[in-house]
Amino acid sequence: MNNESQKITTPRQGKTYTIPIGPVHPALKEPIEFSFELDGERIVGVDIRPGYAHRGIEFMGMKRNLIQVLYLSERICGICSISHPLALTQAVENAAGIEVPPRAQYIRTIIGELERIQSHLLWAGVAAHELGFDTLLHLTWKVREKVMDLLEDLTGNRVDYAIPIFGGVRRDIPAAKGDLAHAVLRYYRDLLQGLMDAFLEDKSVEMRTRHVGALSRGDALRLCAVGPTARAAGVEKDVRQDMPYFAYADLEVRAITPRDFEQEPVGDVFDTIIVRLLEVAQSIEIVERALCEMPEGELVSIPKVAALLSFLKKAEGEGIGRHEAPRGEVFHYVRLEAGIEEPIVWKVKAPTYSNLMAWVPKFMGAEVADIPIIAASIDPCMCCMDRVHVADRSGRASIRMKEELIRLSREKTRRILG
Amino acid sequence: MTPEALLSTFREAFGEKILSTRTVTHSVGRERHAVHNVWIEMGRETLHDAVAHLTSFSHLHLSVISGDDLGEAIAFNYHFAVGFGERFGEVVLTIRVVVPKGDLRLPTLTDLIPGALTSEREKQEFFGVVVEGIPDPRHLFLPQEATFHPWRKDEAAAIGRETRHLVDWETPHE
Amino acid sequence: MTGGIGAAIWQGATVLIGGALLGLVYKGIDRKLAARMQARIGPPLRQPFFDVVKLLAKENVVPDHAIAWLFNGAPVVSLAAVSSLLFYLPLGGFAPLLGGHGDLVLVIYLLAVPAIAMMVGGFAAASPYASVGAQREMVMLMSYEFPLVIALVSIAWRLSTILPEASVFSLSVLAANPLWDWVGPLGAVGLVLLALALLVVTPAELSKIPFDIPEAETEIAGGLLAEYSGRNLALFYLADAVKTVAMAALLVALFFPYGLADRLWLSGPLAGLVDVAFFLIKVLVVVFFSVIVVRVGFARLKIDQAARLFWIPVTGISLVGMVLLILDRVA
């Protein structure tokens, strides 16, 4: 932190002290460093330092052919493992001018929405845990398993579904699997009211989340917030509504805000719970409709991978791909040059990247006890957003390369073994 | 907002300062609805005015700024979402600014869009461009001491030193 | 308290070891039941024993900047205080071992000692997390002590009006003369309110959800206990287990000291056995309702919310209970 003057602070009286949260802390599921300036239990300043999970994915991608990049993109994040490939395939299809058959567009939509259900339930559990409400964590994660099982049934994997390919999808959803999906969706439909009651009618959850980490509509717009974070603040922004793609163009998808729960949005943690739970209901509806209205036809426009690779090698142009991931807008930009297999430029923008700035107004004025739930409220995904970074005992930070890390770990093993 | 309307307000406001424009339309869904991407190339000096112009008539969302090392110059693409809030209402507008490597400077947009800070910090550390007037010039993802710029094609030697053995097959063993 | 010093030592050792074992068993039951209520399988019943054994075998780390003697002393004081509590509480059909040497007021102090010891240990650890935890513990202590003392003193005072000659602050006297037998309907309502207030105070006294604010894992990484490891942590763990039993035993002694043996016309060793078993069940019931159900059913409160809860509604309830007991006397 070599530029202390840049900390965002408000005028204050009395003595303040600094408390570090992270890079490793029980409130954080992934590494990021917060430095909070506290006046008693009240936060008067916050400095955010990401980068602890930076792996240089875009750099790696620019050294690989597009099919390899597709697999790499799937491994950007484990929770939104379909969101990045969906955005990447759109970007490349737009750049190279590849058409996607309608059935493939519907299958992409279905898997994308199932992922949303899975991700939002995961978040709800984490949020409950951050509040110290472990019962709710265990119950939500238990019911989440159903959709994980369904995803495994449909794609073969619990995560990293390997469904999209440039110009279509790699796997069909046959009628029998569709029935299975309908059964799981019915299960969630019956369960949802109970889940809503458990989160939204519970007095202790309300006490911990109402007016905590509020984000005004103005701030959400100014700070370019995306996804449920922005929608909880009353910004009706959802790529599926604003600029539909895939089956969302045929199905009427509307941005969900707390107004759908008959509440004026204040952008606090409670509102983000409302938005996410209502979006689970919305996703159930989208998947059910998509399953029923899915047209017959081809799955992929260029079925042979070798043909696809040579087509992509000849392609020239630039394209943008966007997908409304569970956490918000995922944005991929790709530029291709004829005769070169690798993308010349690959820029990935994950939702947490956009929501990073929204953390600051959310934290200001909050209490230490609110830190975990506010940190969790944007559903951060550091691995999406962010090389190895080591601080030695003197507090000096340095970059350590792979060989040196191996050398250091071998030394440590020898030291331990005596 | 239609792409035509967007482009005509730009032509009206900036005229000759627009270097090139392009509208790309894609069809989506079974019903083959049309969605539009608009690309405008402008000079560095008009970028700030162009964004001010955009903010005057619409809520403006800056998705991200992407960079493209062209060899002698670097192109920066400012990807905006204009007109969100209604179905099919949004147009993705990309303002492209080409900056020569001898004079790597960009104006900051944080006075108009505070949310641009994250992306501007990232461009500074990954391309070595100087964003003039940026409120927080620290590195975002890389260590503060890092002096190389990973997305610059002319720094391959320095980057190579820092990222050697990323995977074994990428760099043959000496 | 008969027999020689040797017998007294034996009795003392039995109570101490028994108390610790019992505490760990209740902890096991607590974890298992909570797990079942959360749709989990949960750890085996003897998991707390494994935990203590493992912790005792682990390295005991003292942070560089900590005040070592305070840091190491705190867990010992904490465990010593809760263990000596056991000597003053009637356990089952047996009178307290040191019944004649201390009374309810001493018990109130002994209950506060572990919290203060943890606070001192927290400040001595020189960790920001532990300091925040210690500040929170201080606020908690100031919040729940008031309703606790109101409840205890009201009961003793009401008894003194009935038995003016007895030493009413002695727990054995309190347990031998349940107030329910003496008070009218007004007093009974008052007693119910006091019992209710103490049931809310119990999870706070034991730092359990929703009042585990000084330890709050997700917020301050264990707070007071953040820097503790190995033997020290094992001592705090044991102290927590024993305190759970002691707190529940106190509630039982005050509000439901009845034995079963008299009602079943039993006598001799069998009577003692039945009463001990009945006592253990009563303790379990108290632990179940004031610890397990509460920690499964609520989210953690914030410190200001917890303080407000104790200062206004809980103190209010106990004051109403006190007033009802006074009115009962007047009536």
Side-chain angles (χ1 to χ4, degrees):
Chain A
M1 304 295 113
N2 49 10
N3 203 322
E4 294 293 318
S5 63
Q6 292 305 331
K7 282 191 178 163
I8 303 140
T9 51
T10 50
R12 58 188 186 270
Q13 290 96 37
K15 208 170 164 312
T16 62
Y17 60 103
T18 306
I19 185 168
I21 301 279
V24 177
H25 187 277
L28 307 168
K29 306 305 163 217
E30 284 182 277
I32 186 165
E33 187 184 322
F34 294 100
S35 182
F36 289 103
E37 203 172 337
L38 299 178
D39 183 6
E41 284 249 346
R42 199 152 291 278
I43 299 166
V44 294
V46 55
D47 187 48
I48 304 165
R49 175 79 176 88
Y52 290 92
H54 190 79
R55 296 160 293 167
I57 294 245
E58 292 141 308
F59 180 85
M60 287 193 262
M62 289 185 256
K63 294 192 171 314
R64 282 160 168 77
N65 76 44
L66 277 166
I67 304 276
Q68 290 171 316
V69 175
L70 180 62
Y71 286 90
L72 191 60
S73 75
E74 203 154 40
R75 280 145 187 86
I76 290 175
C77 172
I79 305 298
C80 31
S81 59
I82 190 93
S83 301
H84 286 284
L86 285 180
L88 175 68
T89 47
Q90 283 186 79
V92 172
E93 284 151 7
N94 289 345
I98 305 173
E99 284 276 320
V100 183
R103 187 173 177 88
Q105 297 194 19
Y106 273 73
I107 292 173
R108 287 181 181 185
T109 305
I110 290 165
I111 307 295
E113 288 307 314
L114 288 176
E115 183 184 76
R116 192 181 318 277
I117 296 174
Q118 172 266 110
S119 176
H120 280 347
L121 289 177
L122 181 100
W123 178 84
V126 171
H129 174 64
E130 305 292 11
L131 294 174
F133 205 161
D134 284 353
T135 309
L136 217 43
L137 157 75
H138 295 298
L139 294 175
T140 22
W141 281 28
K142 186 184 168 213
V143 300
R144 173 179 175 260
E145 282 306 301
K146 280 266 188 210
V147 67
M148 298 304 283
D149 289 345
L150 176 63
L151 279 164
E152 194 179 351
D153 266 325
L154 294 179
T155 69
N157 295 326
R158 273 169 67 90
V159 289
D160 292 356
Y161 314 113
I163 284 296
I165 183 119
F166 307 109
V169 291
R170 297 179 59 233
R171 241 176 248 276
D172 195 14
I173 299 179
K177 298 277 188 198
D179 295 340
L180 199 72
H182 277 299
V184 173
L185 294 168
R186 262 196 308 279
Y187 167 81
Y188 280 112
R189 200 180 272 284
D190 297 341
L191 189 103
L192 204 67
Q193 194 52 50
L195 211 56
M196 301 273 288
D197 288 345
F199 277 94
L200 302 175
E201 303 295 328
D202 187 281
K203 185 81 187 142
S204 61
V205 171
E206 195 186 334
M207 277 172 82
R208 289 297 309 275
T209 58
R210 230 343 161 197
H211 303 295
V212 170
L215 180 71
S216 69
R217 186 180 141 85
D219 276 341
L221 285 166
R222 270 190 293 278
L223 297 172
C224 300
V226 294
T229 311
R231 292 194 283 272
V235 180
E236 286 168 339
K237 185 174 181 346
D238 188 324
V239 187
R240 298 174 295 170
Q241 163 200 285
D242 304 327
M243 196 172 168
Y245 50 100
F246 305 156
Y248 302 120
D250 304 328
L251 311 165
E252 298 270 322
V253 182
R254 218 169 33 77
I256 299 242
T257 65
R259 285 190 197 97
D260 296 289
F261 195 66
E262 280 150 22
Q263 303 233 352
E264 216 25 57
V266 283
D268 57 8
V269 180
F270 193 76
D271 279 353
T272 63
I273 303 177
I274 295 176
V275 169
R276 289 198 174 90
L277 289 177
L278 289 177
E279 284 187 10
V280 171
Q282 187 187 37
S283 292
I284 295 171
E285 205 175 303
I286 294 173
V287 179
E288 280 182 339
R289 279 194 58 192
L291 279 167
C292 296
E293 295 173 18
M294 185 158 58
E296 292 298 323
E298 291 295 310
L299 289 181
V300 61
S301 50
I302 310 174
K304 291 267 190 299
V305 173
L308 179 63
L309 253 180
S310 70
F311 180 86
L312 288 172
K313 197 174 172 178
K314 280 178 276 182
E316 173 131 7
E318 53 188 344
I320 290 168
R322 296 158 84 214
H323 170 66
E324 184 72 25
R327 289 158 186 75
E329 174 205 39
V330 172
F331 183 105
H332 282 228
Y333 168 79
V334 171
R335 188 165 75 84
L336 308 175
E337 261 178 40
I340 301 175
E341 277 194 326
E342 299 87 14
I344 303 301
V345 181
W346 178 32
K347 178 75 197 105
V348 177
K349 197 277 296 178
T352 305
Y353 184 102
S354 298
N355 284 336
L356 199 60
M357 299 283 289
W359 254 331
V360 177
K362 277 175 155 281
F363 276 124
M364 286 305 213
E367 289 169 39
V368 176
D370 300 327
I371 293 173
I373 189 64
I374 297 177
S377 72
I378 73 160
D379 198 0
C381 184
M382 313 311 168
C383 63
C384 278
M385 181 179 56
D386 296 333
R387 222 176 268 277
V388 180
H389 186 236
V390 182
D392 60 19
R393 272 181 166 262
S394 62
R396 210 156 36 81
S398 60
I399 326 165
R400 295 284 165 87
M401 289 304 122
K402 188 180 157 195
E403 301 92 329
E404 204 184 344
L405 281 175
I406 292 174
R407 184 181 59 77
L408 284 170
S409 55
R410 282 181 186 150
E411 268 173 24
K412 191 182 176 193
T413 312
R414 278 192 215 107
R415 206 165 58 228
I416 291 167
L417 293 174
Chain B
M1 166 143 302
T2 61
E4 297 77 33
L6 186 66
L7 278 171
S8 69
T9 63
F10 259 78
R11 291 212 182 87
E12 220 168 276
F14 299 102
E16 293 297 295
K17 289 176 182 158
I18 302 170
L19 301 174
S20 71
T21 63
R22 187 158 60 94
T23 306
V24 182
T25 302
H26 304 289
S27 65
V28 290
R30 203 172 47 186
E31 319 281 335
R32 304 186 68 78
H33 303 268
V35 293
H36 315 281
N37 287 0
V38 177
W39 307 72
I40 298 178
E41 189 173 340
M42 300 184 110
R44 168 171 63 195
E45 55 294 335
T46 30
L47 174 67
H48 193 274
D49 293 342
V51 177
H53 171 70
L54 274 172
T55 48
S56 68
F57 64 81
S58 158
H59 288 306
L60 193 57
H61 173 80
L62 175 66
S63 286
V64 74
I65 310 167
S66 66
D68 186 355
D69 190 336
L70 304 170
E72 294 303 304
I74 299 175
F76 291 98
N77 302 309
Y78 288 73
H79 304 285
F80 295 102
V82 188
F84 53 83
E86 56 181 298
R87 213 165 129 72
F88 285 107
E90 196 175 62
V91 170
V92 173
L93 168 67
T94 304
I95 300 183
R96 186 176 169 92
V97 175
V98 180
V99 184
K101 278 198 180 154
D103 181 28
L104 272 179
R105 289 179 298 112
L106 279 174
T108 183
L109 298 181
T110 47
D111 52 330
L112 299 166
I113 314 168
L117 182 61
T118 311
S119 212
E120 287 185 355
R121 282 172 69 182
E122 190 195 39
K123 295 302 113 27
Q124 286 208 123
E125 65 178 318
F126 283 85
F127 283 103
V129 60
V130 176
V131 178
E132 292 173 319
I134 191 166
D136 183 354
R138 290 175 302 161
H139 282 176
L140 186 64
F141 296 121
L142 299 181
Q144 299 301 323
E145 294 75 18
T147 50
F148 61 100
H149 307 106
W151 295 345
R152 286 274 289 267
K153 311 261 189 220
D154 52 348
E155 284 190 28
I159 299 160
R161 274 197 303 280
E162 303 286 358
T163 57
R164 209 170 12 180
H165 298 290
L166 200 63
V167 281
D168 290 338
W169 54 262
E170 268 188 347
T171 322
H173 292 287
E174 294 98 71
Chain C
M1 296 304 284
T2 51
I5 289 173
I9 289 174
W10 274 114
Q11 282 178 332
T14 314
V15 168
L16 282 183
I17 296 168
L21 293 179
L22 204 61
L24 291 177
V25 169
Y26 277 116
K27 222 180 169 74
I29 296 173
D30 164 42
R31 287 170 69 170
K32 193 79 190 174
L33 284 177
R36 302 308 305 190
M37 288 159 87
Q38 293 177 335
R40 287 186 292 132
I41 293 167
L45 271 181
R46 57 207 161 157
Q47 188 62 43
F49 291 91
F50 294 152
D51 287 350
V52 170
V53 171
K54 191 184 90 174
L55 283 175
L56 286 173
K58 288 268 181 182
E59 187 189 1
N60 191 24
V61 180
V62 179
D64 285 349
H65 300 290
I67 308 164
W69 65 274
L70 267 177
F71 184 78
N72 288 321
V76 178
V77 171
S78 181
L79 184 59
V82 287
S83 302
S84 35
L85 253 178
L86 292 177
F87 296 133
Y88 298 99
L89 293 172
L91 304 170
F94 303 103
L97 278 183
L98 293 175
H101 300 271
D103 56 21
L104 202 53
V105 179
L106 182 69
V107 166
I108 294 172
Y109 277 107
L110 283 175
L111 273 172
V113 169
I116 294 167
M118 282 180 86
M119 227 156 69
V120 171
F123 279 125
S127 145
Y129 295 131
S131 302
V132 172
Q135 289 166 13
R136 289 175 171 192
E137 180 75 59
M138 207 147 54
V139 175
M140 284 302 291
L141 195 65
M142 289 189 291
S143 311
Y144 64 71
E145 284 293 271
F146 194 41
L148 175 73
V149 174
I150 292 175
L152 298 188
V153 172
S154 314
I155 291 167
W157 170 82
R158 185 69 187 91
L159 196 63
S160 74
T161 57
I162 297 157
L163 305 167
E165 69 288 353
S167 63
V168 291
F169 275 95
S170 160
L171 268 162
S172 41
V173 175
L174 276 167
N177 302 288
L179 259 184
W180 305 101
D181 303 349
W182 308 88
V183 293
L186 265 183
V189 172
L191 274 176
V192 168
L193 289 179
L194 292 178
L196 212 70
L198 284 189
L199 276 175
V200 182
V201 169
T202 306
E205 184 76 63
L206 300 172
S207 277
K208 294 287 190 289
I209 288 173
F211 305 115
D212 67 330
I213 308 162
E215 287 157 34
E217 183 230 339
T218 50
E219 297 162 20
I220 48 174
L224 291 170
L225 299 173
E227 298 296 334
Y228 278 103
S229 57
R231 193 195 66 227
N232 284 337
L233 190 57
L235 292 180
F236 271 136
Y237 191 95
L238 267 176
D240 173 51
V242 176
K243 197 173 171 184
T244 306
V245 174
M247 193 66 201
L250 177 67
L251 256 69
V252 167
L254 286 174
F255 296 105
F256 205 73
Y258 300 100
L260 205 58
D262 307 342
R263 306 253 178 325
L264 296 174
W265 301 281
L266 294 173
S267 61
L270 187 65
L273 219 61
V274 167
D275 269 351
V276 168
F278 188 55
F279 168 76
L280 294 179
I281 292 168
K282 284 189 288 186
V283 169
L284 184 63
V285 168
V286 172
V287 172
F288 183 78
F289 284 107
S290 67
V291 177
I292 308 178
V293 171
V294 174
R295 93 182 171 96
V296 167
F298 289 91
R300 184 184 307 119
L301 293 177
K302 290 198 276 189
I303 188 71
D304 55 322
Q305 293 169 341
R308 206 173 305 128
L309 176 76
F310 283 108
W311 275 107
I312 301 162
V314 180
T315 304
I317 287 173
S318 49
L319 281 173
V320 171
M322 184 180 81
V323 169
L324 285 175
L325 279 184
I326 296 172
L327 288 177
D328 184 63
R329 155 94 173 111
V330 176

